[in-house]
């Protein structure tokens, strides 16, 4: 099925809304999400309904069909893999890549995304910490926890920094730990709960319990 970029972006917007409140997606919600008017949203919903990508009844709201949902998840998968590529392989900063990935995600060459995924070593999260759906469309949505709740040999990605002091952030810079950093806990010292952590695929560092408590991660 050939879809326009606009149509695809609507499917993505509806999917994102469905993660927040699956029951109740109105044309107004979609208009707010896509920054357009409710009138153009209802026109678009009729078009997508004809293509059997959404189920749309005027007073009942909008739902993605299975086909529509699969297309949305594929776009998100492609988007997040391109973001990893841009940061890891082309050296872009993590705040620069979203807008580029918004365009790249629409390229539909067969095999491109699975080759990209394997070239990148099957990453599980994008540079912002969001999970990358696998080829079957499964998304791993783990709840954020403190790094000191990760056990030995568990892996995670840093999604948030609780403490914002300059001293703390400069310390994180020095040990090259950032939002989006992938980490693996190698050892936990049961005496003081400090832990030896591998950052990305290279450096290892000892983190105190206090530092770990201030780093929020998602298990991957
Ligand atoms: Zn993005």
């Amino acid at each position: 099925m050939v879809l326009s970029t606009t149509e695809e972006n609507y499917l993505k917007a509806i999917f994102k809304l469905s993660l927040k409140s699956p029951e109740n997606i109105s044309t107004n919600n979609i208009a707010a999400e896509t920054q357009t008017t409710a009138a153009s949203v209802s026109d678009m919903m009729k078009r997508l309904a004809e293509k059997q990508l959404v189920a749309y009844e005027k007073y009942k709201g909008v739902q993605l069909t299975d086909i529509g949902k699969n297309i949305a998840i594929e776009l998100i998968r492609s988007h997040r893999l391109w973001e990893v590529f841009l940061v890891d392989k082309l050296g872009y900063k993590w705040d620069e890549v979203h807008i580029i990935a918004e365009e790249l995600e629409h390229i539909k060459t067969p095999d491109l995304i699975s080759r990209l995924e394997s070239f990148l070593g099957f990453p599980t999260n994008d540079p912002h910490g969001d999970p990358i759906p696998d080829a079957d469309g499964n998304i791993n949505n783990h709840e954020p926890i403190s790094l000191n709740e990760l056990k030995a040999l568990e892996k995670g990605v840093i999604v948030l920094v609780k403490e914002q002091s300059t001293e703390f952030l400069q310390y994180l810079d020095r040990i090259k730990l950032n939002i989006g950093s992938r980490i693996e806990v190698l050892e936990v010292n049961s005496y003081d709960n400090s832990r030896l952590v591998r950052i990305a695929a290279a450096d290892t560092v000892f983190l105190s319990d206090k530092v770990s408590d201030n780093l929020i991660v998602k298990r991957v």
Side-chain angles (χ1 to χ4, degrees):
M1 185 176 336
V2 180
L3 298 175
S4 70
T5 300
T6 314
E7 290 171 322
E8 291 190 339
N9 285 338
Y10 271 100
L11 295 177
K12 239 179 20 163
I14 300 166
F15 180 75
K16 286 186 178 160
L17 289 168
S18 77
L19 293 178
K20 289 181 217 155
S21 62
E23 302 305 310
N24 201 357
I25 305 171
S26 65
T27 46
N28 284 328
N29 296 148
I30 301 170
E33 178 77 21
T34 54
Q35 296 174 5
T36 164
T37 62
S40 45
V41 172
S42 5
D43 285 347
M44 178 58 87
M45 289 312 113
K46 279 176 212 144
R47 244 159 81 186
L48 294 176
E50 275 163 27
K51 297 185 177 184
Q52 304 191 337
L53 300 171
V54 303
Y56 170 51
E57 283 175 62
K58 204 156 187 192
Y59 299 102
K60 281 192 177 168
V62 179
Q63 271 187 325
L64 289 176
T65 62
D66 285 347
I67 313 170
K69 187 177 162 194
N70 289 342
I71 295 173
I73 291 175
E74 252 173 61
L75 287 162
I76 290 168
R77 174 172 149 78
S78 163
H79 180 103
R80 293 182 179 166
L81 284 166
W82 281 121
E83 286 189 342
V84 175
F85 174 76
L86 292 165
V87 169
D88 286 6
K89 304 295 177 188
L90 299 190
Y92 283 92
K93 298 208 188 71
W94 66 285
D95 57 339
E96 297 173 320
V97 295
H98 177 77
I99 198 153
I100 312 174
E102 284 287 283
E103 299 196 31
L104 291 171
E105 69 185 20
H106 299 286
I107 303 171
K108 289 280 184 342
T109 304
D111 260 14
L112 175 67
I113 294 309
S114 55
R115 287 188 196 202
L116 177 64
E117 181 183 36
S118 103
F119 173 67
L120 296 170
F122 297 91
T124 50
N125 293 78
D126 76 13
H128 310 104
D130 289 320
I132 298 171
D134 69 16
D136 298 323
N138 304 308
I139 306 178
N140 165 1
N141 270 320
H142 286 307
E143 287 299 302
I145 51 171
S146 270
L147 174 52
N148 59 7
E149 291 175 58
L150 277 192
K151 299 185 184 72
L153 303 181
E154 287 191 313
K155 292 179 187 166
V157 61
I158 309 283
V159 293
L160 200 75
V161 177
K162 262 203 292 189
E163 146 107 49
Q164 306 274 325
S165 73
T166 312
E167 256 178 325
F168 185 61
L169 296 178
Q170 285 179 350
Y171 168 69
L172 296 183
D173 274 346
R174 275 202 305 280
I175 61 171
K176 300 199 177 69
L177 204 59
N178 270 306
I179 304 290
S181 290
R182 288 185 275 276
I183 49 123
E184 180 179 6
V185 176
L186 300 177
E187 279 172 41
V188 178
N189 182 343
S190 55
Y191 173 65
D192 62 0
N193 211 27
S194 64
R195 53 204 56 221
L196 181 63
V197 169
R198 178 186 288 134
I199 301 171
D203 302 349
T204 59
V205 63
F206 264 106
L207 299 178
S208 70
D209 189 41
K210 188 177 171 195
V211 167
S212 299
D213 186 47
N214 279 310
L215 294 170
I216 304 301
V217 299
K218 277 190 177 183
R219 278 200 180 87
V220 297

